[in-house]
Amino acid sequence: MAVGKNKRLSKKGKGAKKRVTDPFLKKDWYDIKAPSMFSVRQIGKTLVSRTQGTKIASEGLKGRVYHVSLADLNKDEDLAYRNISLKCEEVQGKSCLTNFHGMDLSRDRLFSMVRKWQSLIEAHVDVKTTDGYTIRMFCIGFTKRRQFQVRKTTYAQSSQIRAIRKKMVDIMTQEASSCELKELVLKFIPEMIGKEIEKACNCIYPLQNVFIRKVKILKAPRFDITKLMELHSGGVEDVGAKVAPAEPIPGSEGMAMESETVA
């Protein structure tokens, strides 16, 4: 190869080296705030690049989805099998205000319930809440041995499975369509819907481990800042402070007696 033909070799050593800066110096930390339906309000922190030119920091935060264990949100280790998704909808100061975005059952809990010699029954339904959220709910349940049963297996017939699935869909639709999203989340936490399905299906075939396996928000109504602020206000009604009873004015008792005698 002739000398001087390779342009890359000729440029070697020219120009100053690019200064390496720490990328975290251009970023800010923001607090993640959970809605008032959970006992722990501050669930962590998140990073975002500072506002620079047309690139605004708050725009980079809006729409982020955070996955948190329900055990951390409610300070109860027995609820560790639930994962809650929270979506950032508004940024105020250094706080990200989130709203409920979905729910899921942990992988280890789901796999621990699947066993041999029983029937697995699943159902799903799309429901619209009273405040305009369209959600998709997935339910799962397993057949249970009857009392004093001798047979090894607990398989349900296909007609029984269809009847149980219909009950699941009816109860999920009834519970979700009659309340707002906040009230529905409060039903999910103590497994109220799962217990109701288990009770209703007992006459068809005994069930166990009935859970709302997954919840997804398909469509949300138009964003309303006042509703979000109500969700983060704490939900405690301000009834005011107690006021001491007023002391009687001197001479007022005599005036009252005179008015009675005149009457």
Side-chain angles (χ1 to χ4, degrees):
M1 184 189 289
V3 179
K5 292 289 182 181
N6 194 337
K7 293 180 180 180
R8 289 182 182 177
L9 289 172
S10 62
K11 287 186 178 180
K12 191 177 180 182
K14 288 185 180 181
K17 286 185 178 179
K18 193 175 181 181
R19 185 181 292 177
V20 179
T21 56
D22 187 7
F24 282 86
L25 295 174
K26 297 179 181 179
K27 296 182 184 292
D28 281 332
W29 289 95
Y30 283 77
D31 295 327
I32 306 167
K33 300 285 185 183
S36 59
M37 58 190 85
F38 303 108
S39 56
V40 177
R41 301 300 301 279
Q42 185 166 342
I43 56 173
K45 291 181 175 287
T46 186
L47 268 176
V48 70
S49 299
R50 289 192 192 122
T51 302
Q52 192 173 9
T54 57
K55 197 174 181 183
I56 303 166
S58 61
E59 296 299 320
L61 287 168
K62 287 177 186 176
R64 286 190 183 181
V65 179
Y66 307 100
H67 302 283
V68 194
S69 174
L70 188 57
D72 297 330
L73 285 170
N74 276 8
K75 292 183 179 178
D76 188 358
E77 287 300 319
D78 294 335
L79 302 173
Y81 62 90
R82 279 264 181 238
N83 297 320
I84 304 291
S85 299
L86 300 172
K87 186 179 180 181
C88 177
E89 293 195 348
E90 183 62 30
V91 179
Q92 288 197 340
K94 289 284 181 182
S95 299
C96 300
L97 304 183
T98 61
N99 196 0
F100 179 80
H101 187 64
M103 187 181 72
D104 202 359
L105 207 63
S106 65
R107 189 181 175 88
D108 57 335
R109 180 60 182 260
L110 187 61
F111 285 3
S112 68
M113 295 187 297
V114 179
R115 298 173 192 151
K116 292 193 293 182
W117 321 121
Q118 64 180 9
S119 296
L120 185 153
I121 303 161
E122 282 187 299
H124 69 274
V125 66
D126 294 353
V127 198
K128 192 171 186 179
T129 59
T130 53
D131 51 351
Y133 285 90
T134 305
I135 62 170
R136 182 170 290 163
M137 298 165 63
F138 297 82
C139 182
I140 191 169
F142 302 87
T143 53
K144 185 175 72 173
R145 292 174 69 89
R146 290 190 175 91
Q147 197 176 11
F148 308 119
Q149 181 175 325
V150 179
R151 193 193 302 168
K152 183 181 180 181
T153 60
T154 56
Y155 296 132
Q157 295 176 357
S158 57
S159 60
Q160 291 173 324
I161 290 173
R162 282 196 299 272
I164 289 170
R165 194 175 287 126
K166 188 178 183 302
K167 283 272 187 189
M168 285 178 171
V169 169
D170 291 345
I171 291 170
M172 284 192 291
T173 306
Q174 181 188 344
E175 291 290 334
S177 60
S178 61
C179 63
E180 294 185 356
L181 183 68
K182 181 182 177 180
E183 296 167 8
L184 188 60
V185 174
L186 293 173
K187 289 180 182 179
F188 289 148
I189 294 169
E191 295 295 344
M192 284 173 61
I193 300 174
K195 288 171 185 173
E196 196 170 332
I197 291 169
E198 192 173 325
K199 188 179 177 182
C201 295
N202 199 39
C203 58
I204 303 168
Y205 203 101
L207 295 181
Q208 62 180 350
N209 297 329
V210 182
F211 293 102
I212 300 297
R213 181 177 65 83
K214 192 174 185 179
V215 177
K216 291 198 292 186
I217 291 184
L218 303 178
K219 193 177 178 183
R222 185 173 289 182
F223 176 68
D224 188 359
I225 185 66
T226 56
K227 284 188 177 179
L228 186 68
M229 293 310 295
E230 283 174 15
L231 203 61
H232 282 264
S233 63
V236 180
E237 190 182 350
D238 188 11
V239 293
K242 279 191 175 181
V243 180
E247 294 181 2
I249 301 167
S252 62
E253 293 177 2
M255 291 169 65
M257 292 290 289
E258 287 176 10
S259 61
E260 284 178 9
T261 54
V262 169

